[in-house]
Structures are given as structure tokens and as C-alpha cells.
Amino acid sequence: MTTHPHLQTLSGMPNTLGRFEIKQVLGRGAQAGVWLAHDPRLQRDVALKVLHTPRHGHAPADAAHWLKEARNLSQLVHPHIVTLYEADVWDGRPGMALEVVTGPSLARRLAQTGALPALEAVRLMKQVLDALQHAHQQGVVHRDLKPSNILLDANGSAKVSDFGMASRLPRAAQPGEAAAHPGGVEGTPNYLSPEAARGLPPSPTNDVFAAGLVLAEMLLGRPLMAETDPYRAVYRLAHEDLVLPHDPQHPLDDALRALVQRALARDPALRWPSAGAMAEALRDWAAAQQGSPGDALDASGKATLDFLLRRMRRTSDFPAMSAQIVRVQSLASSENESLNSLTSEILKDVALTNKLLRIVNSAHFSHVGGGHINTVSRAVSLIGFAGIRNVAMSLVMLDHMENKAHAEQLKAEFARALLAGGLASDLGAGMRDTEEIFIGAMLHNLGRLLTEFYFPDEARQIRQALAAAAGAGAAGDATANHPVRRHQREEQAAQAVLGIGFEALAEGVGKSWGLPDSMLRLMRHSVAPPPSRPVTDAPARQQLIAQAANAMADVFLNAEEATLHTQLHQVASVYAAALGQTSTDIEAAVAQARDKLAITAESIGLYAPAHSRAARLLRRQLQVTAPTAADSRHPPPGQPVDSPISELHATTHHALNGAVDGTPATASEDSQADATSSLLATGIQDITNAMVDSFKLNDVLRMVLETMYRAMGFRQVVFCLRDGNSGAIQGRLGLGEDATNTARVFRVVLSEPNNLFAAVCNKGVDTLIHDATADKVRHALPGWYHQHVHARSFMLLPLHLKGAPLGLIYADQAQADAIVLDEKGLSLLKTLRNQAVMAFKHTMSNR
């Protein structure tokens, strides 16, 4: 169906095919040709896609492929999908009569013009995504989206064509049926999704990834993946993260970059959940670019914002910080898949993990059990998905904004932001979305914080201008210290120095990070004075709380000691009536929030010199004590909650015998073993705490996996459960590199002979494989393991219940002999596995 401006001559082709009158050749492929033809019956031109005729008639396989394409396309009626008129066999040749599209393909357009303007590229991609969403709703996945399969009609609109690789999705994606998929890699190598590159069953997210590649190509004017070796292309897509490059020739704003980057996530769970969702995000972006209501910047302001963003992107940390925040923020609400993705994202960064666990054990989270939380999974289950996501975002910013030449000023600004967030959370207690209030208030003055970090010279000029304005105003204006007036002066100073105000800079960066509109609203300042009666509208009250908290934090940071309490009282009085509280109550909340901040700062290692501005914020006045980790209700760490099942063995085959290596350990190995045992023990304590309280089974299983993953440093850990219908052991949850994909392909048929996994599950014997490439082991591993997982060393912990296989915990390392365990570690791992069994027993007994 691909059309060309210069049509080829007929050159020996038949004049007719069935009732169709052949006019010209439009294109030729390996399996089929496309002819322009006239249908005299309906008096219209059509594009005939006809299989080439082999010497001995058409091949049955090709005919079946043609029939599959015709059936898929027959289900799709959409203005941006090429229309199928009919399919038949004419004069012994299978073919389809299709709508004629008179323009070029997108591939030819890009070859002629290079990169498209961003709005034009987004317009075309919205049409393509609308078409894909329609196909997905009919159960059809395209699987071969690329510029040459997108045609442009006379009006410049997109038409998706060539559904020859398409697959239907009635049952292929059902749990337990992945093995029925024929496997193999199908599609154009440079446009495959990572999961398609691994031969996994088709999914609508395949097309979302391909759409991201096509949109990137339109914006850059060249393919993002342009490997000439198809095997290298498939390998890179399966194992590498694709990043949209910063091209000075084709600059992109960060909001659009974030949209594309989300579509290109290697983990399908981190992509746009559907083609429709991606199309909606692109519509919002385009509306903002075209000056929709709420877009506060004029053309000059947008140019200044773009200039400042380019300056920040030239640093090494802003792109890295932005990418990490986008990944954390882009995770969806609270489904199990999102919980796994958030936990995995945090666990990738050891420093972030440790700081997050310290902060959730501080006084700020004492109301939900802070003090004895040892796993990110437990923190998520207690504090909530949104709360942990927002804490993670704030810590990402802190980590990237430390240890610079102007670090003291930055520490002061960051401590001020944390104080504002904590105070806002306290003032908003009882309201919905208090975690969002916390992060919104913390980012309320993001523009000032970014300026201090990335533009220190300009920040100093702004502070000098503010000091001069404050001195002049204090002499003749009684309202000079009113928080609204101070904000107006600060915005004017920033505008004079930077070219835009702090608020516009913050909103531009927030949009590039994918922050939701509700959070962006909390970052805005109201120019109107607070009303004299309580504000009851929830969004307006949240915004007022964020503004009040920042005004109080500003006073704490900037006021002289002699006037501090007076100014705090004045600002509290400004907001008291609107918040429905007394100024005394607000001042008490500020003091309590500052004490919580001091404890939080200690927990994450945020210190400041004794006489600095930051030290005033981090100095504790009240004695607020976090709950202790020890709790007499719980057994000591490491105590088994069920009897051991079987010893862990080193093995090279399904004979499943051997012994743990008895080589004496060195001092460094002893230290590592102690650290491993400590992490295992604290994780076991966390799980025990969760099981004493009311718990969800998935929360406990996630904690088991996380404890193993952190303590042992595994590449990935996967929990598998026996399927009630098929009886096979099927992957369910995973943490670590590619764990989501591994869980999808992990399937152990217990009756299969000469299968190591089946033997381990049936016999209930814990197993450690040192080298999976050894002949005896390699021949006992299933085909899907060789094709998709490739780990050389792995550990299997089977779960049995009432003498029958219940499930399996799988953990691996990429290299041989990379899993090292001592006797204490083995005992603790068995306890973890037993805790999973106990959780199942408890769940089943309560049904």
C-alpha cells in the first residue's frame, strides 16, 4: 500500500485481475505487490495488495498470513486506518482491495524534509495513537508500527497501514497461557519493543513503545535506533534503555521530552498505560503550546524559560535528577504493578533506599509506625504509595543538590522547603491527599531553589535586590512585611534578573517532570490576601495551606532572632482566620514541624554549621521521640516463624545433593556476611511485624522479595505461584533488572521430565546453581529460560503446603559463582521462605 510520487509503469503486469482493471504499480515487497486498480462495479480506484505468485502456485503459509491480515483489518473502521474494502482470491491470487492513499509515507516525508516541527509531529502522532487505541479496543495489536507503515493523505492526515504482523489478543495474554505463544522475534528490528525483542506475547504496550520511537524520529529527523545489524538492534532493545538525545539542531522542551521518554520505558509498566492515554497527554501538551487558558507565559517568557532550561540541562546533574523524578512521578496510582515498579525504582539506588528508610522511621511518620520499618515494601503498605513516592522525589532532589561550592545557601533553602512541606502536612491533617500537600508545599518555591543551585550569581543579585527593596519599604510602608507583598517583590526581582519569575520557572520545570495539575496548583502563589473566614473548598484550602506554610518557613529562615517570634505571630495572624485556627495554634504547629524537621535532618545526614541560617531551622527545641525499633510484641530478628523445610544445597544437576562450600572466609568476606545477615534479619523482623498486624498477602510477598534482593544483591528475584487451573508454577511478582518480564515468562510444568525447576518444586529441595552453562544443568533447563533469562547462577527456594508444591522463589546473578552464602545466611533465607508459606496459611485459614 505504500504510495510513491513517481508511479512505476505496468511493465508486463496483467491488464486485469478478476474484475479489477490494473493501472499502475504502487510498490513491491518481498511477499506482495501493490497495484493501483479501478473497480468498474463500484466505480472507484483501489489499491490492490496481491501476493506474488510462486512457480507452483501460492504458498499455503503465505496465504494463511494474508488471510490473518485481512481478518484483522476487517475489524477496524477508523478515519486514521487504511480501509479494507474486500479480500478474495482473484485468478488464483490472494489479495485485498484497499483504500487508495494519494500522499507519501511518513518515511518518505522525513527523508525529504528531515525533522518535523514539534506541533506537526505531535498532531500526526495523536492521529496514529487514536488509530492504535481503536485497534487495541478491537483486540488487535499492530506489532510493526514504523514510518513506512504510516501513510499521509492529500490533507496531510495520517493513515496507519500494513497489519500483516498484527496479532489478536483474546487469550494470548491470559495468565498461565504464555507458553502457548509460538515465541520468536517478529517485526522490524529497529522498531521492536523490548518485550517483543525477547519474543514475549504481544501486548498493546508494544505499539506504545513503537509510537514513542516514531515520534522521536519525527522530532529528530532520524531514527532513534538505526542499527544495520538486526541482531544487535534486537539485543540493544532488549537490554538497553533508550534516551532521547539533546540535539541543538532540534531542541525540545522538557515536557514533550518527558512524554516521549515515558513511551520509551524498557519496563512496560512504566510506559503510558494505553495508546489513548499517550494521545491525551500529547493533546494537553499541544493545547499548552498553542496558548490555552492557564498558559501564563507570552512568547518572550517561553523563550526565556527554554533558555534557562537549556542552561540547566548542560549540567551533569539536572538531566539525571529530572530523569529519576520523571520515572518516579510517572508511576501510576496504586495497582500492584505500580507498587512493584516504585519499589524497584527506589531499590536501584542504595543511598536513596537507606535515606528513605531512615526518614520513614523518623518522628514525621510516627503515626503510622515509624521506628521499626525495615523494607521499602512495608513503608509503602503503611504510609501509602503517594507518600513514599513524594518522599522519594524530595530525596532525589536533595541528593542531586548537595556538595556544591554554594552548599550552605542550598542547605538553607532545602531545609526551608522541608519545613514548609512538614508544616503543610500537619496543617492539612484530616484532609485527603496530605502527601500531595507535603510535596506541593515543598516545591512551592522550587523556582528559588533551582536558581540558588543552577544560577548562583543571579540568585545573589536577586537577594541583594530584595534586601534593598525591603529596607526602602520598611521605612514608609506598614504592609511591607506582609507575605503577599514579599512574594510580589521577590517575583519582580526574579523577573528583572532572570527574565521570568520564580513561579514561572518552577511551573515550567514541574511540567517537564510530569507533575500533575493538582500539584502544580499547590506550587502557585495567590496574589489575593487570605479571606477573613475559613476556606472550605478543598483545592483552595490546600493551596492556602501550602502558601501559609511557606510564608512561616520564610520567616524562620530570614528573620533576625530578636524579631523572629513577632514576625511569626504576624504571619500566623494573616492566615489564621482563613485556616479556621488561632495564630497560637499555627505557631505551635510551626514549632512542632521544626522539631520533626530536626529529627528528619539527622536521619538523612543533613547538617549545617552552628551559626548558619540553616542551623536555625535544624535546631531542635521540643523533644520529639521516634518509636524505637524494639517491640516486645514481636519475636527477635531471625527467629523462624515455622519449622525449617529442607537444607539449601549447592548443585549442578537435578540430583540435588552436595554441600555448602566450606572454604574459610576472609575478614572482608566476614564483614560482608555480617552485613547480609543484618539486612536479612531486619527484613524478617519487618515481615513478622506485618504478620502480627492485619496484612495483605501481596505486601508480605513483596517484603520477602525485597529483603532477599537488598541483602544478597541479586540481579532479580521472582515469586512464582501454582496456577489453580493449569497446575503449573507461574511467575507473579518480581524485583530487579527485567524481573517483570522474567515473571511473565516463568512457567514450570510440574509433570515435565528432565526439568530442573520441576524436580526442585516436586521434591521441595532448596537449590543453588553455581553455573547454569554446565552441560548437566544446561540440558535440564527449559527453553524459555535459555531464551529469556540467561542467568549463569541462580537459587531456587520451593514452597510446599500440605506436602504439595505451592510456589517457588527464584533469585539470580548474571555471572557464574556469584551467589555466596554462609550457614547463618542459609538459615535466614529459609526463615524468609517459611514466612511466605505462613502468610499463605494465614490467608487460606481466614477465607
Side-chain angles (χ1 to χ4, degrees):
M1 285 170 303
T2 302
T3 58
H4 301 280
H6 305 290
L7 300 178
Q8 303 171 33
T9 60
L10 199 55
S11 183
M13 289 296 169
N15 292 326
T16 62
L17 186 69
R19 71 175 189 274
F20 297 102
E21 300 168 358
I22 307 300
K23 292 184 173 181
Q24 290 172 300
V25 177
L26 299 180
R28 294 179 181 273
Q31 296 180 331
V34 184
W35 303 339
L36 177 65
H38 181 71
D39 182 355
R41 180 182 298 170
L42 299 178
Q43 291 296 303
R44 65 183 176 191
D45 286 345
V46 298
L48 286 183
K49 183 176 181 178
V50 183
L51 289 182
H52 297 315
T53 304
R55 294 179 180 179
H56 304 291
H58 64 267
D62 290 342
H65 187 82
W66 157 81
L67 183 59
K68 173 187 170 185
E69 178 181 0
R71 286 174 173 167
N72 286 331
L73 195 51
S74 70
Q75 306 296 313
L76 309 179
V77 180
H78 191 274
H80 297 297
I81 296 177
V82 172
T83 302
L84 171 68
Y85 294 140
E86 64 178 284
D88 207 339
V89 178
W90 300 293
D91 299 338
R93 304 184 69 173
M96 288 177 277
L98 300 149
E99 170 189 8
V100 176
V101 181
T102 57
S105 69
L106 178 60
R108 181 169 289 275
R109 166 80 181 276
L110 294 174
Q112 293 170 341
T113 65
L116 303 181
L119 280 171
E120 171 68 4
V122 167
R123 180 186 70 84
L124 290 173
M125 184 47 63
K126 284 188 298 179
Q127 296 173 351
V128 171
L129 289 166
D130 287 341
L132 293 174
Q133 180 67 12
H134 172 74
H136 297 163
Q137 289 171 343
Q138 308 308 312
V140 176
V141 180
H142 191 285
R143 299 177 69 210
D144 196 27
L145 187 72
K146 54 187 177 182
S148 60
N149 285 341
I150 299 171
L151 308 182
L152 305 178
D153 65 14
N155 298 318
S157 294
K159 295 270 189 177
V160 179
S161 69
D162 199 345
F163 282 74
M165 291 287 183
S167 289
R168 296 197 59 80
L169 288 173
R171 293 174 54 82
Q174 295 294 318
E177 293 185 344
H181 181 64
V185 177
E186 295 184 76
T188 304
N190 282 324
Y191 295 91
L192 290 173
S193 67
E195 58 271 28
R198 295 187 182 93
L200 295 178
S203 164
T205 55
N206 300 167
D207 288 347
V208 172
F209 186 89
L213 286 171
V214 173
L215 179 53
E217 187 167 344
M218 285 193 279
L219 295 169
L220 296 172
R222 64 183 186 278
L224 192 58
M225 174 69 68
E227 294 290 345
T228 56
D229 182 348
Y231 296 101
R232 175 162 173 76
V234 170
Y235 179 85
R236 286 188 59 196
L237 287 165
H239 297 90
E240 297 178 13
D241 291 322
L242 295 185
V243 178
L244 199 62
H246 291 279
D247 187 345
Q249 300 297 320
H250 307 292
L252 301 177
D253 75 65
D254 282 3
L256 182 56
R257 179 181 300 278
L259 292 177
V260 181
Q261 202 62 58
R262 182 172 177 181
L264 297 174
R266 191 150 54 102
D267 183 348
L270 300 183
R271 288 180 212 149
W272 297 103
S274 66
M278 183 178 174
E280 189 62 32
L282 290 175
R283 286 189 185 91
D284 291 343
W285 178 87
Q289 298 303 304
Q290 293 166 333
S292 65
D295 188 7
L297 294 179
D298 57 15
S300 174
K302 287 180 181 177
T304 302
L305 175 61
D306 288 343
F307 170 71
L308 294 176
L309 287 172
R310 285 197 296 274
R311 282 182 63 184
M312 287 188 283
R313 284 197 295 264
R314 291 193 191 106
T315 66
S316 60
D317 40 62
F318 184 76
M321 177 176 69
S322 297
Q324 196 167 6
I325 288 178
V326 166
R327 287 197 301 270
V328 172
Q329 180 58 34
S330 67
L331 300 174
S333 52
S334 60
E335 297 297 326
N336 278 338
E337 194 69 40
S338 299
L339 294 176
N340 290 337
S341 299
L342 175 63
T343 304
S344 293
E345 182 63 37
I346 293 170
L347 292 174
K348 288 178 184 176
D349 188 329
V350 175
L352 176 62
T353 300
N354 292 334
K355 284 186 177 180
L356 185 140
L357 290 176
R358 286 198 295 270
I359 204 171
V360 300
N361 283 296
S362 70
H364 182 75
F365 290 108
S366 60
H367 62 289
V368 291
H372 56 264
I373 299 173
N374 301 306
T375 61
V376 175
S377 302
R378 178 69 169 159
V380 171
S381 67
L382 288 174
I383 294 169
F385 179 88
I388 294 300
R389 179 192 62 188
N390 293 337
V391 171
M393 285 178 59
S394 62
L395 290 176
V396 167
M397 291 181 61
L398 175 62
D399 277 352
H400 284 279
M401 289 189 172
E402 282 189 316
N403 302 322
K404 298 296 178 182
H406 47 296
E408 295 312 318
Q409 183 69 32
L410 279 169
K411 283 181 180 178
E413 285 295 338
F414 199 86
R416 187 212 60 78
L418 285 176
L419 175 61
L423 176 57
S425 184
D426 289 345
L427 293 175
M431 297 185 69
R432 295 181 58 186
D433 302 322
T434 53
E435 292 85 3
E436 193 162 278
I437 295 175
F438 173 85
I439 197 72
M442 194 192 80
L443 298 181
H444 196 69
N445 283 312
L446 176 64
R448 182 200 298 168
L449 182 63
L450 291 171
T451 302
E452 286 289 354
F453 184 66
Y454 293 103
F455 316 124
D457 292 337
E458 289 90 336
R460 185 167 51 254
Q461 294 176 40
I462 293 171
R463 289 198 303 273
Q464 292 170 349
L466 282 172
D477 186 355
T479 65
N481 287 324
H482 192 285
V484 174
R485 292 293 306 277
R486 285 205 304 269
H487 168 67
Q488 290 173 338
R489 289 200 303 270
E490 186 176 57
E491 284 293 289
Q492 290 169 357
Q495 182 77 40
V497 175
L498 293 175
I500 61 172
F502 282 155
E503 190 169 333
L505 175 60
E507 186 158 351
V509 173
K511 287 181 178 179
S512 76
W513 287 348
L515 299 183
D517 289 340
S518 57
M519 197 175 291
L520 292 174
R521 184 183 65 249
L522 294 178
M523 294 163 57
R524 300 183 188 119
H525 295 71
S526 173
V527 296
S532 57
R533 60 182 183 278
V535 175
T536 56
D537 176 70
R541 185 174 178 81
Q542 290 174 345
Q543 186 177 13
L544 182 68
I545 287 172
Q547 187 163 323
N550 275 271
M552 300 294 286
D554 277 343
V555 171
F556 237 125
L557 182 64
N558 298 313
E560 298 295 334
E561 287 286 353
T563 62
L564 175 61
H565 291 291
T566 300
Q567 290 193 38
L568 283 174
H569 181 75
Q570 290 174 346
V571 174
S573 299
V574 169
Y575 292 97
L579 294 177
Q581 300 186 34
T582 67
S583 58
T584 302
D585 290 337
I586 295 177
E587 290 173 67
V590 173
Q592 186 174 9
R594 191 178 77 159
D595 288 331
K596 289 182 179 179
L597 171 62
I599 298 170
T600 299
E602 291 174 7
S603 70
I604 61 177
L606 181 63
Y607 302 107
H611 300 292
S612 66
R613 293 196 307 155
R616 180 192 299 174
L617 293 176
L618 303 179
R619 187 184 311 132
R620 195 187 312 187
Q621 288 182 327
L622 304 176
Q623 189 63 35
V624 181
T625 305
T628 61
D631 191 329
S632 59
R633 297 175 304 159
H634 306 302
Q639 178 174 313
V641 297
D642 194 11
S643 59
I645 297 180
S646 57
E647 295 301 319
L648 185 75
H649 295 281
T651 181
T652 56
H653 191 38
H654 58 76
L656 307 174
N657 54 27
V660 177
D661 186 359
T663 304
T666 64
S668 60
E669 289 172 339
D670 284 339
S671 176
Q672 179 61 44
D674 288 343
T676 297
S677 296
S678 177
L679 283 172
L680 289 172
T682 55
I684 289 168
Q685 179 68 66
D686 220 23
I687 297 164
T688 303
N689 294 345
M691 292 175 68
V692 170
D693 303 327
S694 59
F695 71 91
K696 295 180 180 178
L697 178 61
N698 275 354
D699 290 343
V700 171
L701 297 179
R702 200 175 289 111
M703 281 187 266
V704 170
L705 297 187
E706 180 187 336
T707 300
M708 294 178 61
Y709 178 76
R710 287 185 64 207
M712 301 295 299
F714 288 119
R715 185 185 68 151
Q716 58 182 345
V717 186
V718 177
F719 179 82
C720 310
L721 182 64
R722 187 165 185 171
D723 183 73
N725 295 320
S726 67
I729 302 293
Q730 186 77 44
R732 299 296 183 187
L733 299 172
L735 284 179
E737 179 186 338
D738 292 334
T740 300
N741 291 322
T742 300
R744 286 176 179 150
V745 301
F746 209 109
R747 190 167 189 268
V748 180
V749 179
L750 295 174
S751 60
E752 186 174 336
N754 196 35
N755 183 318
L756 173 61
F757 294 143
V760 167
C761 292
N762 286 323
K763 295 184 179 182
V765 181
D766 302 332
T767 303
L768 174 62
I769 297 295
H770 290 293
D771 189 355
T773 62
D775 287 342
K776 290 183 179 180
V777 178
R778 182 165 49 84
H779 294 306
L781 296 176
W784 56 261
Y785 189 87
H786 293 297
Q787 184 175 2
H788 300 295
V789 184
H790 314 298
R792 291 191 63 183
S793 57
F794 59 84
M795 183 176 67
L796 304 174
L797 298 177
L799 283 69
H800 270 216
L801 187 60
K802 297 180 180 179
L806 170 67
L808 178 70
I809 299 175
Y810 165 89
D812 71 22
Q813 292 284 20
Q815 303 302 319
D817 298 310
I819 302 175
V820 180
L821 291 166
D822 62 4
E823 292 293 341
K824 186 176 181 181
L826 299 182
S827 176
L828 292 172
L829 284 173
K830 288 189 294 183
T831 299
L832 277 172
R833 183 263 316 283
N834 294 344
Q835 286 183 314
V837 175
M838 286 293 291
F840 272 102
K841 286 182 179 179
H842 180 82
T843 302
M844 294 173 66
S845 66
N846 288 336
R847 285 179 178 174

